[in-house]
Amino acid sequence: MNPIVKLNKVTKKYGAVTAVQDISFTMESEKIYGLLGRNGAGKTTIMHMIAAQLFPTSGELLVFGEAPYENRHVLNRLCFVKESQKYPENYNVEDVLDIAGSLFENWDREYALSLIDDFGLPLKRRIKKLSRGMLSAAGIVVGLASRSPLTIFDEPYLGLDAVARTLFYDRLLEDYAAHPRTVVLSTHLIDEVSRLLEHIIVINNGRLLLDEDADVLRGRAFQVVGPVGSIDAFASDKETIHRGTFGGFATATVMGNLYGKDRQQAEALGLEIAPVSLQQMIVHLTGRKSGHKEEELV
């Protein structure tokens, strides 16, 4: 089966600045992807190229097996909900639904209205009167009700509280189960969405850092705690992605098998062992390879 999205050695430059460099990956049908990385890593540039809103400088980019730019056959099957989605200020929420109905071939207005009710959106309120959270909810409604074979959400929940974000995740999973399609989530709330993600693509400094199934990544890193000498002995031949010390004790986050020989070795040295979440692992990896403080992952 042909991939839904294919990037082959894609590079995007803005003058002397290279935003994306020599990136290759594919996205399959009926799978939920996490497109992750720091601000400025190149994620948004990639999404804009997939949605035909930017040209690659070089390389091959195909969506549904075709070049997407000015290709109605591709664009009618793609919905891109941007972080800073703009609508005409004189529109109200109902106008947004009407326009969406004319753009997306799988649009389900009845489902859209049920989502409007779920999120408490006022249909007749003008866009310029909506809060940041309400604007995000409007984008979520369009993205879900479009039922587009390729649906991309770029930080879809800005301004939403935890209850509304959970509602989005629940509705996404429910409708994805009933109407499978390819969904791309670009987010910094990795732990919140980790249960949704089936495949993870991490971009760091414009390059591809990770491209793996989520199940493979879960349990691939773990943390050990113990005396400095024991940590040194354990980590000497392993890929250590984070390390800290406090007094005579140290912590090390290592890439390894939490349930195999690595665990047996750690136990033999008397070290405490703890799993590392997907978000912690990605934060440590991008922090180490970019030189930024790890808390800056977004």
Side-chain angles (χ1 to χ4, degrees):
M1 182 180 294
N2 292 329
I4 296 295
V5 175
K6 178 183 177 182
L7 278 72
N8 182 27
K9 298 186 179 301
V10 168
T11 293
K12 177 62 181 178
K13 295 184 178 181
Y14 300 95
V17 176
T18 301
V20 171
Q21 185 164 353
D22 200 32
I23 281 184
S24 300
F25 64 78
T26 61
M27 293 179 173
E28 301 172 4
S29 62
E30 300 182 7
K31 186 175 282 190
I32 300 178
Y33 287 82
L35 182 61
L36 312 175
R38 298 174 181 273
N39 272 350
K43 307 184 306 297
T44 298
T45 297
I46 289 171
M47 289 184 284
H48 276 86
M49 288 191 291
I50 291 172
Q53 296 176 10
L54 286 174
F55 284 109
T57 303
S58 62
E60 179 186 44
L61 190 154
L62 300 177
V63 182
F64 302 111
E66 303 177 26
Y69 187 73
E70 292 187 346
N71 187 334
R72 183 172 294 276
H73 181 249
V74 170
L75 298 180
N76 281 357
R77 294 186 289 163
L78 184 156
C79 179
F80 178 24
V81 180
K82 301 180 186 179
E83 172 187 345
S84 53
Q85 190 72 42
K86 301 294 186 184
Y87 305 99
E89 289 192 352
N90 62 320
Y91 276 28
N92 59 29
V93 174
E94 190 167 26
D95 293 329
V96 171
L97 300 190
D98 291 339
I99 292 297
S102 69
L103 294 176
F104 304 113
E105 58 186 31
N106 294 331
W107 176 255
D108 188 328
R109 183 177 178 84
E110 184 177 347
Y111 180 54
L113 291 174
S114 74
L115 291 170
I116 290 287
D117 187 58
D118 288 340
F119 284 100
L121 279 174
L123 270 176
K124 298 300 183 181
R125 184 172 301 179
R126 292 193 180 278
I127 292 296
K128 64 181 179 181
K129 298 291 186 180
L130 296 182
S131 67
R132 172 69 266 189
M134 286 182 175
L135 281 172
S136 293
I140 286 169
V141 170
V142 170
L144 291 178
S146 75
R147 298 221 171 105
S148 296
L150 175 59
T151 305
I152 303 171
F153 291 99
D154 182 13
E155 299 285 3
Y157 39 65
L158 294 180
L160 295 181
D161 59 25
V163 173
R165 294 198 305 273
T166 299
L167 177 62
F168 166 51
Y169 306 146
D170 289 345
R171 293 295 179 270
L172 172 58
L173 275 181
E174 291 168 2
D175 204 60
Y176 172 76
H179 303 275
R181 62 267 210 189
T182 301
V183 177
V184 181
L185 290 172
S186 179
T187 176
H188 69 278
L189 298 179
I190 300 170
D191 282 344
E192 276 197 9
V193 303
S194 61
R195 68 185 175 95
L196 285 71
L197 303 181
E198 298 173 87
H199 195 98
I200 291 170
I201 295 170
V202 179
I203 308 299
N204 195 47
N205 291 333
R207 294 180 178 271
L208 183 67
L209 178 62
L210 285 175
D211 180 12
E212 295 196 50
D213 282 346
D215 286 343
V216 173
L217 289 176
R218 295 184 181 102
R220 189 172 154 190
F222 61 96
Q223 184 183 76
V224 289
V225 182
V228 172
S230 298
I231 294 293
D232 289 341
F234 177 77
S236 62
D237 61 346
K238 296 176 178 61
E239 183 182 1
T240 302
I241 61 175
H242 182 258
R243 185 179 172 117
T245 58
F246 45 100
F249 284 81
T251 65
T253 302
V254 299
M255 301 294 287
N257 189 340
L258 177 60
Y259 303 105
K261 292 181 179 179
D262 294 331
R263 184 185 187 96
Q264 294 173 4
Q265 182 187 1
E267 290 174 343
L269 290 167
L271 302 177
E272 295 182 17
I273 306 166
V276 172
S277 72
L278 201 58
Q279 177 160 312
Q280 287 175 308
M281 183 182 70
I282 293 172
V283 165
H284 291 329
L285 280 170
T286 55
R288 178 187 61 164
K289 299 192 177 186
S290 68
H292 294 295
K293 293 181 180 178
E294 293 172 351
E295 289 77 13
E296 293 174 357
L297 177 68
V298 290

